[in-house]
Amino acid sequence: MKWWQNLRKNPLARLGAVLLLIFYTVALLAEFVAPYNPYDSQLNGSLLPPTQIYLSTQDGRFIGPHVYPTTQGPVDANTGAREVIVDWQKPSVIGLFVKASPYKFLGVLPFDRHLFGTTGEGQIHILGTDEQARDQFSRLVHGSRISLSIGLVGIAISFPLGLLIGGISGYFGSWIDSILMRFAEVLMTIPGLYLLVALAAVLPPGLTSAQRFILIVLITSFISWASLARVIRGQVLSIKQLEFVQAARAMGANPIYIIVRHVLPQTATYVIISATLAVPGFIVAESVLSLIGLGIQQPDPSWGNLLSLSTNASILVLQPWLVWPPATLIILTVLAFNLLGDGLRDALDPRSIQRN
């Protein structure tokens, strides 16, 4: 296929696709990749820095990569920093496929092996621990499930809605077109972020994170279909004049059948590109809402509420390792989707296909 060959020749699109493949694979295998349960706390281990890895013991013996049990001491009255206390007598070797807390692999198979971990009392926190002494890397991995899935669920709701309304509006025209498009234009004038903040602020406080997740997706999807419907309507106006559509109409086919079976598939190229570029918007919306405390709530992790620690000035200065990883992952995910979307747009361009 020409478009596939064009896409493979685009290094930036390949980079975006590889990044997304890695992120979604890690999210799917979160329990296996994360060394610890994201809700478990370590005794006296709050706000620990990233664990330092050693190759040799204090007496010079080489035992391979290992860590030592680490806890936090009292707060320094002058600097606000906390002393890190290391038990040098208990080296804990780092290994792959280490047996640890049990879970269900892919939500089905009972399993107790993790991608990496330690075999002693020491714990490895490659991104440190948060204020509740929970492993930040494990929370980041589990949080990817919400932050990455919200975009896919969002377009699964908003795009069929935009396609159907745009198709009906463009195909039937007349007063149906006027009513549907005026309604879409009203939605397009509403500032999306402000609407999300306003609606999220009035949600009942007792909602679970799963319920908030569903409501955020529904709200975001409801205000996202309008712009797609406008574009699809314009394409349908020209597609419905084509001979195969006129033939189906002459044979007495049902109008909805014609729209779904013959007209909308002709917009597939635009829809694929638009969907790829729309996913980052849902991810950013969830992140912003969780950042300001109106999205996914603690203790459930998402990249947005992990980033909310940046509102604490002391953490931003003294524990920057808690802030930069979720911010970096959000940026990389948005960038990866944009790179892939741009690559798809170039690869599916009819002029590009004809040249090749």
Side-chain angles (χ1 to χ4, degrees):
M1 292 182 288
K2 293 292 185 181
W3 70 268
W4 176 247
Q5 295 175 0
N6 292 339
L7 184 64
R8 291 180 59 185
K9 293 177 182 177
N10 189 325
L12 293 179
R14 291 203 308 270
L15 174 62
V18 169
L19 284 176
L20 293 176
L21 180 62
I22 293 173
F23 290 162
Y24 278 98
T25 300
V26 169
L28 181 65
L29 305 177
E31 291 89 356
F32 172 69
V33 175
Y36 306 108
N37 188 306
Y39 302 101
D40 290 348
S41 300
Q42 175 186 338
L43 184 63
N44 296 325
S46 63
L47 298 177
L48 286 172
T51 305
Q52 186 171 351
I53 299 175
Y54 302 86
L55 295 178
S56 301
T57 61
Q58 297 302 296
D59 56 8
R61 289 185 300 112
F62 178 82
I63 61 173
H66 64 280
V67 298
Y68 295 91
T70 306
T71 56
Q72 285 278 32
V75 178
D76 189 304
N78 297 322
T79 64
R82 301 178 67 182
E83 179 187 3
V84 177
I85 301 174
V86 181
D87 186 349
W88 301 107
Q89 304 303 315
K90 299 177 180 178
S92 302
V93 177
I94 300 172
L96 296 176
F97 308 110
V98 174
K99 186 175 182 179
S101 58
Y103 61 92
K104 288 189 176 181
F105 186 70
L106 298 177
V108 178
L109 302 174
F111 207 55
D112 60 2
R113 297 284 174 174
H114 296 256
L115 178 61
F116 67 94
T118 58
T119 56
E121 294 184 21
Q123 295 188 3
I124 178 171
H125 304 293
I126 60 177
L127 294 178
T129 61
D130 63 9
E131 72 283 359
Q132 300 296 325
R134 298 169 299 201
D135 180 58
Q136 183 73 354
F137 177 76
S138 297
R139 292 182 61 75
L140 198 67
V141 169
H142 282 267
S144 66
R145 286 187 165 175
I146 290 178
S147 296
L148 293 176
S149 64
I150 196 167
L152 301 182
V153 177
I155 63 172
I157 296 174
S158 63
F159 271 58
L161 188 61
L163 277 169
L164 187 59
I165 293 178
I168 292 174
S169 179
Y171 185 83
F172 289 104
S174 187
W175 61 271
I176 297 178
D177 179 36
S178 298
I179 292 175
L180 291 177
M181 287 301 100
R182 298 300 82 76
F183 180 59
E185 288 166 0
V186 169
L187 286 180
M188 292 173 64
T189 62
I190 300 175
L193 180 59
Y194 297 113
L195 176 64
L196 285 169
V197 171
L199 292 177
V202 300
L203 293 178
L207 292 178
T208 65
S209 289
Q211 292 170 329
R212 284 182 172 271
F213 174 84
I214 294 173
L215 286 173
I216 289 172
V217 171
L218 290 176
I219 293 169
T220 310
S221 301
F222 180 73
I223 62 176
S224 301
W225 63 265
S227 58
L228 175 66
R230 290 281 299 173
V231 176
I232 296 300
R233 177 250 186 190
Q235 294 187 357
V236 171
L237 285 174
S238 59
I239 294 173
K240 72 178 183 179
Q241 305 299 329
L242 298 178
E243 292 180 358
F244 67 92
V245 177
Q246 295 293 335
R249 184 184 299 175
M251 294 174 64
N254 184 281
I256 298 299
Y257 174 82
I258 295 175
I259 293 172
V260 175
R261 180 65 178 83
H262 297 292
V263 176
L264 291 182
Q266 302 302 312
T267 67
T269 298
Y270 173 80
V271 171
I272 292 173
I273 297 170
S274 183
T276 307
L277 297 175
V279 172
F282 288 93
I283 295 175
V284 171
E286 181 277 325
S287 300
V288 171
L289 286 176
S290 297
L291 172 62
I292 60 180
L294 298 175
I296 307 302
Q297 301 296 301
Q298 296 280 1
D300 297 311
S302 78
W303 289 351
N305 64 23
L306 291 178
L307 191 59
S308 65
L309 293 172
S310 62
T311 58
N312 187 324
S314 64
I315 288 182
L316 195 60
V317 173
L318 298 175
Q319 290 88 24
W321 58 83
L322 297 177
V323 177
W324 288 111
T328 302
L329 286 177
I330 292 172
I331 293 172
L332 287 177
T333 303
V334 172
L335 179 62
F337 271 110
N338 287 331
L339 291 176
L340 181 59
D342 288 341
L344 283 172
R345 182 177 57 199
D346 295 339
L348 293 170
D349 186 348
R351 291 169 297 183
S352 175
I353 294 176
Q354 290 174 0
R355 284 197 301 268
N356 291 278

